[in-house]
Amino acid sequence: MKNYMDGGEAILEAFRKLKIDYIMSSPGSEWSPVWEALARQKVGNRSGPTYIDSWHETLAVNMATGYTLITGRPQAVLVHAGVGLLQGSMGVHGANQSEVPMIVMSGESNTLGEDPNVDIEQQWYGGLSVGGIERYVENITKLARPVTSPYTLYEQVIRAGEMAQRTPRGPIYLNVALEHMLHDWTPPKDDREVPFAPRVQAHPSEVEKVAELLLSAKNPIVVAEQSGRDPAAFHALAELSNLLGLPVTWSRGANFANFPTNHPHYLGVASYKYLADADLVLLVGGRVPWYPAHVRPTKGKIVALNENQFKNHMIYQQLHADLYLEGDIAASLQMLAEAARAGKPNADAIAKRHAKWKGEHDAFVAGLKAEREKAKSANGKGIDPLMLIDMLAEVMPADTAFVDETIMHGPVLRQHLPFTTPHSFFRGFGGLGQGIGTALGVKLASGKRTVALLIGDGGFLYNPVIQALGASKQHNLPILIVMFNNKGYMAMQKGHLHHYKDGSAEGANMYLGSKLNGFDYAELGSHFGLHGERVQDPAKLKGALQAALKKVQDGTTAILNVEVSK
């Protein structure tokens, strides 16, 4: 048995040094050098990344994204040439917008069979090699570059992994020629362990300024948008709220569980009515907190606390910040709490503040309960979405990780479902069609924790469904898929009416692009031995949800196709 030492081994060794856990791949014919290295790793009983096959490139990228959202550690994605990269570009775009670090690689031939010393297969000549695949994704990655030679391959992969982790985090794409991977490689003499990126903290003097503002404020409030990506920030914000009696509302653009919804200072999602009287707004992890963006929501000061304040993928952004605190969010919140303690906050004022916001929280929770009770009392009128949400809250385990890919039902989901633990809510970036893969990646990183994808019928059809269900079966990743099936792209109809009220379409009840005469989606899982059930009767909803959850807990993905009334 010949023991090859070539560019495939260089790539795998770089992944080992970067402590990458998984190589997610929708395979292409350029990757035989890496496959050979992986086989050698297995035969030699060496530790290193686990290889996961996917049947679609977007699925591979989304699984890497979901895994990193839980662990914080970047993973590797291998796709095929330019065609595979284009297929996976939706996922790359989403990873870039969500600031998820990863290495994405594909390859081409740079000799096209003309080098007599390298026997290249013929498929590379005629369009598969385009000469510069990186151009396809330059605008949707943090960086996209070719590997310059077999002699720079190893360190370029190392650099890509290290760069992906730095602020702003994001996917790095490398175009590596097949000839570079087939070339002999000699491991470096001066080897090193590659560290993870360190946390970058705000300067203590800047922390002191913000702490003084918090201590002197009469009516401060927190708006949290993306802080919940880090469990340490989730807990640090709760600690700061307890210390100073700070009320917290999730931002209108929240994509993570930022603050426990059962906390007595929690005011809901986009509860901006409280900002009018605030003299200080602490915007934590802000991205798109205000809409319309030009309207300042308060007369008080706005302090923006984030690691990366301004998103280079956004063409326009307005935070209205009067002061910035920049660095790791959890570290900033922890330093603020420490500085506030040293400043000896007024205990009486904080006790009054706590009582006030607990009362507001209790009233808010009572209002939500009344809304759900009203929805449940509408017997004979189908399954109201709020009835389904209420049942999810009752049946699902308290630590469930929910992945949301709904549109019309997204705001009400975030307002009514309980998110009391870190990483209990995720909503993707970059467009629909990525939810199932993201949920599978979250499950891969979450062990026995229950993962539930909440998705509309329109969004479901944007996903690589068959490929994702195959991955769930092949890699033993059971998730619960709950479909809010309103038989249409209702966001399209809503948008039409928004711009053309009393128009021809409304008069004729003719809304193009909004109707879905779909099949029974629950049957799709049967091809893989998965569980599926269609639910139309409100009386059968709880039993169907309990049965589906039991299947997931027993190791089988379940699809619950719930036909909702709106």
Side-chain angles (χ1 to χ4, degrees):
M1 183 174 66
K2 185 174 181 179
N3 188 25
Y4 292 87
M5 184 62 69
D6 57 17
E9 184 65 36
I11 292 171
L12 185 57
E13 181 61 18
F15 289 167
R16 292 189 193 107
K17 292 298 183 184
L18 291 166
K19 303 174 183 66
I20 284 172
D21 300 318
Y22 291 97
I23 300 171
M24 316 287 189
S25 180
S26 181
S29 54
E30 69 266 46
W31 292 118
S32 55
V34 174
W35 297 335
E36 179 67 17
L38 284 164
R40 191 163 51 249
Q41 173 180 278
K42 180 70 172 179
V43 171
N45 199 28
R46 288 197 63 186
S47 61
T50 298
Y51 180 82
I52 290 187
D53 260 332
S54 296
W55 299 345
H56 196 282
E57 292 83 357
T58 296
L59 175 63
V61 180
N62 291 156
M63 287 181 67
T65 293
Y67 187 87
T68 299
L69 286 174
I70 293 290
T71 66
R73 299 191 299 273
Q75 303 304 302
V77 178
L78 306 182
V79 295
H80 180 42
V83 291
L85 185 61
L86 289 172
Q87 287 277 18
S89 61
M90 171 61 87
V92 175
H93 173 61
N96 190 50
Q97 289 204 358
S98 58
E99 298 180 65
V100 169
M102 65 176 64
I103 302 174
V104 181
M105 299 177 70
S106 69
E108 55 186 340
S109 170
N110 59 13
T111 63
L112 302 170
E114 298 289 63
D115 185 341
N117 297 313
V118 184
D119 185 12
I120 295 296
E121 295 170 285
Q122 62 181 336
Q123 72 267 22
W124 295 99
Y125 175 62
L128 192 55
S129 290
V130 300
I133 300 169
E134 65 278 359
R135 294 172 297 167
Y136 291 167
V137 292
E138 285 175 344
N139 291 330
I140 59 170
T141 55
K142 181 176 179 178
L143 187 74
R145 291 289 187 270
V147 171
T148 57
S149 79
Y151 306 103
T152 61
L153 171 58
Y154 173 75
E155 285 296 343
Q156 279 194 262
V157 176
I158 293 285
R159 177 177 181 263
E162 293 195 288
M163 185 180 291
Q165 300 175 53
R166 264 63 185 186
T167 304
R169 299 180 184 92
I172 304 288
Y173 170 74
L174 292 178
N175 172 12
V176 55
L178 175 57
E179 289 83 350
H180 296 346
M181 291 190 280
L182 293 170
H183 195 282
D184 290 344
W185 176 68
T186 302
K189 292 181 180 178
D190 299 320
D191 208 1
R192 69 184 176 103
E193 289 300 317
V194 179
F196 288 115
R199 294 201 304 173
V200 178
Q201 295 186 355
H203 193 276
S205 64
E206 300 297 325
V207 175
E208 288 293 335
K209 289 180 187 177
V210 178
E212 288 172 7
L213 289 173
L214 282 169
L215 289 170
S216 62
K218 303 299 183 185
N219 193 25
I221 188 170
V222 177
V223 177
E225 186 165 344
Q226 292 191 352
S227 52
R229 125 183 353 253
D230 181 1
F234 180 94
H235 292 302
L237 183 54
E239 180 186 0
L240 185 65
S241 174
N242 291 335
L243 178 66
L244 298 178
L246 299 176
V248 179
T249 176
W250 287 15
S251 163
R252 59 172 290 276
N255 291 72
F256 304 96
N258 299 301
F259 189 77
T261 57
N262 60 348
H263 193 284
H265 299 165
Y266 176 69
L267 301 177
V269 180
S271 299
Y272 290 162
K273 64 180 181 180
Y274 298 107
L275 273 62
D277 297 327
D279 56 355
L280 180 68
V281 176
L282 187 63
L283 175 60
V284 184
R287 187 179 72 101
V288 288
W290 327 122
Y291 192 81
H294 72 275
V295 177
R296 185 181 177 92
T298 180
K299 293 180 180 178
K301 284 186 177 294
I302 298 176
V303 178
L305 187 159
N306 210 338
E307 189 168 7
N308 176 35
Q309 303 275 11
F310 297 101
K311 313 303 182 183
N312 58 12
H313 64 267
M314 293 178 61
I315 195 169
Y316 181 70
Q317 188 182 15
Q318 173 61 286
L319 300 177
H320 292 284
D322 302 296
L323 192 66
Y324 295 101
L325 191 60
E326 298 187 354
D328 179 84
I329 292 177
S332 293
L333 292 169
Q334 291 160 356
M335 293 169 73
L336 279 176
E338 184 178 349
R341 284 193 192 91
K344 298 180 180 179
N346 186 316
D348 290 338
I350 290 170
K352 291 178 181 177
R353 203 181 284 166
H354 170 76
K356 173 186 175 181
W357 295 119
K358 183 180 184 303
E360 293 291 334
H361 169 80
D362 291 345
F364 164 72
V365 170
L368 293 182
K369 183 178 180 180
E371 290 178 20
R372 295 193 298 272
E373 290 299 325
K374 182 179 180 181
K376 288 192 295 184
S377 67
N379 293 326
K381 297 182 181 179
I383 300 175
D384 188 288
L386 262 180
M387 183 187 301
L388 173 54
I389 292 167
D390 186 67
M391 200 59 67
L392 285 165
E394 179 182 339
V395 171
M396 299 302 292
D399 68 341
T400 298
F402 289 98
V403 178
D404 175 29
E405 196 173 33
T406 63
I407 294 296
M408 297 298 291
H409 304 111
V412 71
L413 282 173
R414 286 183 294 169
Q415 199 73 280
H416 283 266
L417 275 176
F419 305 112
T420 60
T421 59
H423 285 167
S424 53
F425 176 77
F426 298 95
R427 182 172 176 82
F429 293 78
L432 296 174
Q434 306 180 69
I436 308 180
T438 301
L440 291 174
V442 168
K443 179 60 181 177
L444 181 63
S446 298
K448 294 182 178 180
R449 186 180 188 182
T450 302
V451 176
L453 171 67
L454 310 179
I455 191 167
D457 50 328
F460 185 81
L461 291 173
Y462 286 132
N463 279 260
V465 176
I466 297 300
Q467 296 91 330
L469 295 178
S472 170
K473 179 72 172 181
Q474 180 181 355
H475 305 300
N476 192 28
L477 298 172
I479 62 172
L480 175 60
I481 301 173
V482 179
M483 183 181 296
F484 285 66
N485 183 356
N486 56 14
K487 300 183 180 180
Y489 295 110
M490 291 298 108
M492 315 295 188
Q493 181 174 327
K494 181 182 178 182
H496 191 143
L497 287 171
H498 177 78
H499 293 292
Y500 296 97
K501 189 169 179 58
D502 298 323
S504 297
E506 185 175 4
N509 193 28
M510 185 176 68
Y511 300 104
L512 301 179
S514 67
K515 301 301 181 184
L516 273 178
N517 297 314
F519 49 92
D520 186 0
Y521 306 103
E523 292 296 321
L524 286 170
S526 63
H527 302 288
F528 301 96
L530 308 179
H531 176 77
E533 184 172 353
R534 183 180 186 178
V535 187
Q536 298 169 300
D537 183 354
K540 297 181 179 179
L541 178 60
K542 183 175 182 179
L545 185 56
Q546 289 173 327
L549 175 61
K550 181 64 165 58
K551 288 290 185 180
V552 172
Q553 291 173 334
D554 289 342
T556 301
T557 283
I559 303 173
L560 208 59
N561 175 16
V562 183
E563 295 187 2
V564 293
S565 59
K566 57 185 176 181

